[in-house]
Amino acid sequence: MNLLLNPKQYQDRHYPDERSKEIMLQTIQWFEEKGLAKQKEQYHNKQFAEDFQAFMTEEGFFETLFLPAGYGSDPHQYYSTYRMYEFSEICGFYGAAYWYCYHVSTLGLDPVLMGDNEEAKHLAAAKLKENAFCAFGLSEKEHGADIYATEMMLYPQDDGTYLANGSKYYIGNGNVASTISVFGKMADTGEYVFFVVDSAHPNYKLVKNIVDVNQQYVAEFELQDYPITKAEILTVGPKAWDDMLNTINVCKFNIGSGATGIVTHSFYEAINHAFHRHLYGQRVTDFPHVKRLFADAWLRIMGMKLFGLRATDYMRVASENDKRYLLYNPIMKMKVAIQGEKVHELLFDIIAAKGFEKDMYFEQAVTELTGFPKLEGTRHVNMALIAKLIPSYMFMPGEFEEVGKITDNRDDTFLFHQGRTRGYAQTKFHDYMIAYRRLAHLPNVQVYIEQIEAYKAYLALSGRELARQMTDFDYLLAVGELFTMVAYGQLIIESAQLEGVGDAVMNQLFDVFVRDFSAYAMELYGKPLNTEGQAEAIQKMFRRPIPNPEEFAKVLEEEVYSLADVYTQNP
């Protein structure tokens, strides 16, 4: 069963209402009517996506997608992570410029929706009708990811108002956004604060676009005695800090879905080219190394898609008593995006020079995707979060009702009321082996289970020594990559069961994962911090997948190569 996005067959997808289907189909139609040539012309001219902004504003798509019930003009309004996943993937499929404008708009609006100011929420919802693009004013030039050190200040005035002074850096849509959520501090108390500004205000100074390699406008801006009243203040105090982190929790989910869209388009271009090319008297796709490269690329994309769909379900059932999304979300951001980079490496080895041609989508995709794993926290920052959950996930499973596939019109309101960000390491998860046991009859899943057991034994052997070792970020990354593989495989198995993916595909997918697990184990094995006992334990993770040539050939012909010529973007 092929789950890859194909815009030419998208009308067959199921949605709970016509508005949702309309958003997806009309967006696809808009891109296809624009065509690849015009899209690439705008890309090479570094043209900001003003046409996308006008389209989103005119159709009101962001209003429908972004707002929970009670806001906006639609009486049937609801916020659906599933819809957001689908739309994000479509935007990524056609180009990072469009995806980025969408992504930073969600970042900009969510602090408003999480905040304490109801008037500001309704005003921001109304502004979406005039200008769909929003922005998130968090980072600063001198501090980067060190958001504790923010220097943006609100200075109290005698009349009860404030003047905002300071600058922000790395701010997507900062050139045009009418709703910009700005994170700063109260000058008199030092408390954190979120407030909202408009890029059209005369006291908002747009300094420059800090990038010059693509279509995005990533702004540096300054607020110079920008007047702020209580109507523009969203939240003050510890909750402002929590809202900032919770906004990132919600929105970085877009990174994985956008990356999945990008590499899916690249895959279609690569297989269309290779399938019709002959070298040395045979079709390129008949070379043994090309077969392996294409199979691995497709299997990795399938893994990305399966994980994303399942992680969406856990976002949608999130509650005060179920915060499993706090693990799956950073994996979606980091692991899925990095998998996308690996897919591009595989495909580039096949199409070689073709991947540099300016008329190909592939040429821009490879460049644009490299930024995705670096957005909303570096790999190190996200892995540090993930690693805190190792003890709870691996050794202390909790009890949860089974979660099914969720594509209905429920309102994912908890995401706007996540509460305090304390107690992260105590987050509970259900037993990961429930999923693995369902596919333990597959040879490569069984090998993978044995690798997981060896990893768990290494963790138990390491004991408290491991916490000290993981203060070294280099060591933490190596330990965390292996842990991530456990959760990644778990959700993919759960998703495959719901989507009807067959055993042959899953056994071949875990052929890839067994190799990955061994590679990450070798990376950990080489770390000088290991004790002799740890080094011996790590060696037990080194395993080879169990080959099945007939099964590989079947998956290649029936699943992978069957995708040749099924999609080509309109010229």
Side-chain angles (χ1 to χ4, degrees):
M1 178 181 181
N2 183 52
L3 294 176
L4 271 57
L5 166 60
N6 182 349
K8 299 294 175 70
Q9 298 174 357
Y10 210 80
Q11 66 275 10
D12 298 331
R13 296 191 68 81
H14 170 72
Y15 286 100
D17 54 78
E18 285 302 311
R19 176 60 171 167
S20 299
K21 189 173 184 179
E22 174 188 32
I23 289 172
M24 309 305 165
L25 291 181
Q26 286 194 17
T27 301
I28 287 170
Q29 182 181 358
W30 184 81
F31 280 117
E32 292 292 338
E33 287 180 353
K34 174 189 281 195
L36 181 60
K38 182 66 175 178
Q39 189 173 304
K40 291 308 300 277
E41 176 187 336
Q42 293 176 336
Y43 170 76
H44 287 294
N45 290 337
K46 302 175 185 176
Q47 183 176 330
F48 182 70
E50 293 177 354
D51 54 352
F52 186 63
Q53 179 185 15
F55 174 56
M56 289 295 108
T57 303
E58 180 181 354
E59 298 295 336
F61 289 169
F62 282 8
E63 180 183 3
T64 300
L65 290 168
F66 291 177
L67 299 176
Y71 303 97
S73 55
D74 187 349
H76 305 293
Q77 179 64 37
Y78 63 94
Y79 179 87
S80 164
T81 307
Y82 177 70
R83 285 198 305 199
M84 294 288 278
Y85 176 94
E86 295 278 308
F87 190 81
S88 174
E89 188 180 40
I90 291 170
C91 289
F93 188 92
Y94 288 104
Y98 314 103
W99 175 87
Y100 187 67
C101 290
Y102 153 80
H103 170 62
V104 294
S105 291
T106 68
L107 281 165
L109 191 62
D110 280 5
V112 182
L113 297 171
M114 293 180 189
D116 302 324
N117 189 332
E118 284 297 313
E119 178 184 351
K121 295 178 188 180
H122 289 286
L123 178 60
K127 279 189 171 185
L128 291 176
K129 294 182 179 297
E130 304 166 6
N131 175 8
F133 282 10
C134 307
F136 185 51
L138 178 61
S139 300
E140 296 181 2
K141 184 175 183 179
E142 300 303 323
H143 306 298
D146 182 11
I147 47 186
Y148 293 98
T150 182
E151 295 183 49
M152 174 67 72
M153 294 289 172
L154 282 190
Y155 294 90
Q157 305 300 299
D158 293 339
D159 61 357
T161 64
Y162 302 84
L163 293 177
N165 283 282
S167 63
K168 291 292 180 181
Y169 208 73
Y170 304 120
I171 312 303
N173 289 355
N175 56 326
V176 298
S178 57
T179 297
I180 304 178
S181 299
V182 181
F183 184 73
K185 292 179 180 177
M186 305 296 287
D188 54 343
T189 66
E191 292 179 290
Y192 291 113
V193 60
F194 251 127
F195 58 97
V196 66
V197 302
D198 189 327
S199 66
H201 194 282
N203 294 65
Y204 178 99
K205 181 183 178 183
L206 184 63
V207 178
K208 63 181 178 180
N209 186 356
I210 65 168
V211 301
D212 191 35
V213 295
N214 51 38
Q215 296 172 264
Q216 283 89 332
Y217 200 106
V218 185
E220 176 184 9
F221 72 77
E222 296 177 359
L223 302 183
Q224 301 174 340
D225 286 341
Y226 191 111
I228 298 293
T229 70
K230 290 184 178 179
E232 287 84 42
I233 293 180
L234 306 175
T235 313
V236 179
K239 187 175 181 298
W241 176 267
D242 291 330
D243 287 355
M244 176 268 297
L245 292 178
N246 288 333
T247 291
I248 296 171
N249 277 343
V250 173
C251 298
K252 67 184 178 184
F253 196 78
N254 300 325
I255 294 171
S257 49
T260 305
I262 288 176
V263 296
T264 300
H265 196 160
S266 295
F267 178 86
Y268 287 132
E269 276 199 335
I271 199 164
N272 290 349
H273 167 72
F275 197 76
H276 296 288
R277 186 166 175 79
H278 289 76
L279 292 173
Y280 309 112
Q282 68 180 106
R283 193 192 300 267
V284 167
T285 48
D286 289 337
F287 287 108
H289 71 289
V290 172
K291 291 180 179 181
R292 171 53 68 186
L293 291 168
F294 263 132
D296 279 10
W298 180 80
L299 288 164
R300 288 189 186 278
I301 301 172
M302 283 289 284
M304 294 166 69
K305 185 67 180 275
L306 287 166
F307 181 87
L309 290 173
R310 189 57 175 155
T312 298
D313 297 329
Y314 287 106
M315 292 285 283
R316 302 203 71 188
V317 299
S319 69
E320 188 59 39
N321 298 316
D322 186 350
K323 295 188 176 182
R324 288 174 285 180
Y325 73 102
L326 291 175
L327 171 61
Y328 308 141
N329 198 15
I331 293 176
M332 181 69 172
K333 172 262 187 264
M334 182 191 67
K335 178 71 175 180
V336 174
I338 291 173
Q339 284 290 297
E341 289 187 302
K342 291 187 176 183
V343 170
H344 269 156
E345 290 175 11
L346 297 167
L347 297 176
F348 223 148
D349 277 346
I350 298 169
I351 65 173
K354 189 72 177 177
F356 293 104
E357 293 184 10
K358 67 178 183 179
D359 297 331
M360 297 277 285
Y361 173 81
F362 195 97
E363 170 248 0
Q364 78 178 71
V366 171
T367 301
E368 292 179 328
L369 185 62
T370 57
F372 274 54
K374 288 82 175 173
L375 294 172
E376 319 322 335
T378 64
R379 179 186 174 207
H380 302 76
V381 168
N382 278 272
M383 190 61 83
L385 284 172
I386 289 169
K388 288 181 180 181
L389 299 172
I390 292 175
S392 177
Y393 180 94
M394 295 297 299
F395 295 101
M396 296 176 284
E399 296 289 334
F400 295 88
E401 291 186 10
E402 188 162 345
V403 175
K405 183 178 179 179
I406 305 173
T407 61
D408 59 23
N409 61 352
R410 69 184 64 184
D411 197 12
D412 302 348
T413 53
F414 177 77
L415 298 178
F416 301 101
H417 305 283
Q418 296 174 66
R420 299 302 302 271
T421 53
R422 294 176 177 175
Y424 179 80
Q426 280 71 53
T427 304
K428 286 292 185 182
F429 301 89
H430 60 293
D431 184 358
Y432 60 88
M433 281 305 300
I434 295 172
Y436 282 105
R437 280 192 289 266
R438 291 172 182 166
L439 289 188
H441 62 282
L442 300 181
N444 285 315
V445 174
Q446 182 58 45
V447 173
Y448 200 74
I449 291 171
E450 292 166 7
Q451 289 177 303
I452 293 171
E453 290 172 346
Y455 175 65
K456 189 173 182 178
Y458 151 82
L459 294 173
L461 172 74
S462 300
R464 293 182 180 179
E465 176 71 7
L466 187 60
R468 184 192 65 79
Q469 290 170 315
M470 290 203 303
T471 59
D472 182 318
F473 260 76
D474 183 54
Y475 197 83
L476 179 146
L477 277 174
V479 175
E481 287 288 4
L482 289 163
F483 172 55
T484 300
M485 289 297 296
V486 184
Y488 194 60
Q490 174 208 334
L491 261 62
I492 287 171
I493 290 174
E494 292 180 4
S495 187
Q497 301 283 293
L498 293 169
E499 301 294 341
V501 178
D503 281 359
V505 170
M506 295 304 293
N507 192 49
Q508 289 301 310
L509 179 57
F510 275 85
D511 180 296
V512 175
F513 289 172
V514 167
R515 287 181 269 137
D516 282 355
F517 205 103
S518 294
Y520 289 131
M522 179 59 74
E523 179 70 19
L524 178 61
Y525 180 72
K527 301 302 178 188
L529 289 180
N530 286 315
T531 65
E532 288 298 320
Q534 285 176 319
E536 289 181 14
I538 294 167
Q539 290 182 65
K540 295 177 182 178
M541 302 179 210
F542 302 159
R543 298 296 300 272
R544 295 175 60 229
I546 297 174
N548 187 329
E550 294 78 16
E551 183 182 75
F552 173 84
K554 178 182 174 67
V555 170
L556 183 72
E557 292 299 325
E558 295 183 4
E559 303 283 357
V560 185
Y561 283 176
S562 68
L563 295 177
D565 298 329
V566 302
Y567 174 80
T568 303
Q569 186 175 353
N570 288 352

